[in-house]
């Protein structure tokens, strides 16, 4: 029996760096699982569309698909946009929707990887404050997850960790990136690092970078980090477990 096709569903962006980063991540997933068919579709701006990929797979005679939202939190896109696309798929496809990527200890590992690549060392942790800078959301579940990740990460040895949102209208307890940098300075952290909790470049990651102007270290986006690729495969395997609801079955 053939393994289900893994369809990675990315948000999409007018920024060409976004799609390039998504494709780089998918190539890393393929390298970790030779023989697994992995396709990429986008919700907006880029081609192929997720709907178009599903129709192409159906036309080939593919039966089973695991659709994986390339998202870090269960916010609007995961709860509304992706299910809407899957509900419109050809009816004979059996589709299981995998969970979003976060939270995961592997993603914390990817965040630290990016900070070390930007110049920090493990010996710097106790004197470094970190801004966990995410794109932002109005979804209470997503907000709570980002806050919990910041608390968990703080307990691994950093001087302090502050969550920040790049989007307008920050919820209580969340600062803009530049304000979080100042807060960590005021706490007495010897250095301040900004860790973007985003998967690919684009408008909001660029806003995070501007907000990090007064930080000592700015890490890169998570992108095709090997830890991120491993999370994708974990979510894929979990969605294949018996008993999960299949869309169109």
């Amino acid at each position: 029996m053939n393994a289900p096709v893994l369809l990675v569903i990315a948000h999409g962006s007018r920024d060409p760096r976004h799609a390039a980063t998504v494709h780089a991540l998918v190539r890393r997933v393929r390298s970790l699982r030779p023989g697994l068919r992995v396709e990429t579709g986008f919700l907006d701006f880029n081609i192929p569309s997720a709907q178009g990929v599903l129709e192409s797979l159906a036309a080939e005679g593919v039966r089973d698909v695991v659709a994986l939202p390339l998202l870090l939190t269960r916010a609007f896109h995961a709860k509304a946009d992706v299910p809407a696309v899957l509900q419109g798929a050809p009816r004979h496809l059996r589709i299981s929707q995998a969970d979003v990527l976060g939270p995961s200890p592997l993603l914390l590992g990817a965040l630290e990887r990016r900070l070390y690549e930007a110049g920090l060392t493990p010996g710097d942790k106790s004197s470094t404050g970190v801004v966990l800078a995410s794109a932002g959301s109005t979804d209470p579940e997503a907000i709570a997850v980002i806050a919990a990740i910041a608390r968990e990460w703080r307990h691994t040895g950093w001087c302090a960790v502050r969550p920040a949102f790049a989007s307008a209208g920050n919820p209580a307890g969340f600062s803009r990136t530049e304000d979080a940098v100042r807060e960590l300075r005021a706490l007495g952290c010897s250095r301040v690092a900004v860790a973007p909790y985003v998967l690919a470049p684009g408008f909001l990651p660029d806003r995070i970078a501007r907000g990090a102007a007064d930080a000592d270290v700015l890490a890169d986006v998570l992108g095709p980090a090997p830890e991120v690729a491993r999370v994708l495969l974990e979510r894929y395997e979990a969605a294949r477990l018996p008993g999960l609801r299949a869309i169109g079955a």
Side-chain angles (χ1 to χ4, degrees):
M1 180 178 179
N2 292 330
V5 172
L6 170 55
L7 172 59
V8 177
I9 301 180
H11 180 271
S13 171
R14 293 186 178 91
D15 189 322
R17 297 173 298 168
H18 175 91
T21 302
V22 170
H23 291 309
L25 174 59
V26 169
R27 286 194 297 271
R28 186 176 287 276
V29 172
R30 292 186 182 120
S31 73
L32 293 177
R33 188 67 62 83
L36 173 63
R37 182 172 178 181
V38 187
E39 300 290 343
T40 308
F42 296 89
L43 292 174
D44 207 355
F45 302 117
N46 302 107
I47 56 174
S49 69
Q51 182 67 38
V53 174
L54 288 167
E55 291 171 358
S56 295
L57 291 173
E60 290 180 31
V62 170
R63 178 63 170 157
D64 296 299
V65 177
V66 170
L68 192 155
L70 194 62
L71 302 166
L72 292 171
T73 59
R74 275 183 45 78
F76 181 79
H77 295 304
K79 294 178 178 179
D81 290 344
V82 172
V85 168
L86 300 184
Q87 290 291 349
R91 299 310 302 170
H92 75 270
L93 285 177
R94 291 186 301 210
I95 306 173
S96 295
Q97 181 176 337
D99 203 357
V100 297
L101 303 186
S104 168
L106 285 170
L107 294 179
L108 286 182
L111 287 166
E112 295 207 357
R113 170 188 291 275
R114 293 303 189 220
L115 286 171
Y116 297 150
E117 290 171 348
L120 292 180
T121 69
D124 295 325
K125 291 184 74 167
S126 62
S127 58
T128 301
V130 179
V131 179
L132 179 68
S134 67
S137 176
T138 58
D139 186 280
E141 181 182 352
I143 293 167
V145 165
I146 297 298
I149 291 170
R151 289 193 300 270
E152 178 182 351
W153 205 16
R154 164 67 182 85
H155 294 313
T156 66
W158 296 101
C159 173
V161 178
R162 287 283 187 276
F165 274 3
S167 57
N170 290 339
F174 282 73
S175 304
R176 297 179 303 167
T177 303
E178 52 267 42
D179 295 331
V181 169
R182 286 193 288 269
E183 292 166 8
L184 291 171
R185 296 267 187 227
L187 276 177
C189 298
S190 297
R191 65 182 62 80
V192 176
V194 174
Y197 189 61
V198 292
L199 288 166
F203 175 75
L204 291 177
D206 283 350
R207 182 179 287 177
I208 290 172
R210 291 193 297 271
D214 292 331
D216 301 292
V217 173
L218 170 62
D220 199 357
V221 298
L222 295 173
E227 296 88 352
V228 179
R230 288 169 57 196
V231 176
L232 264 72
L233 290 172
E234 283 188 355
R235 299 293 183 256
Y236 169 80
E237 291 297 338
R240 296 178 62 191
L241 293 176
L244 286 189
R245 181 179 60 88
I247 299 168

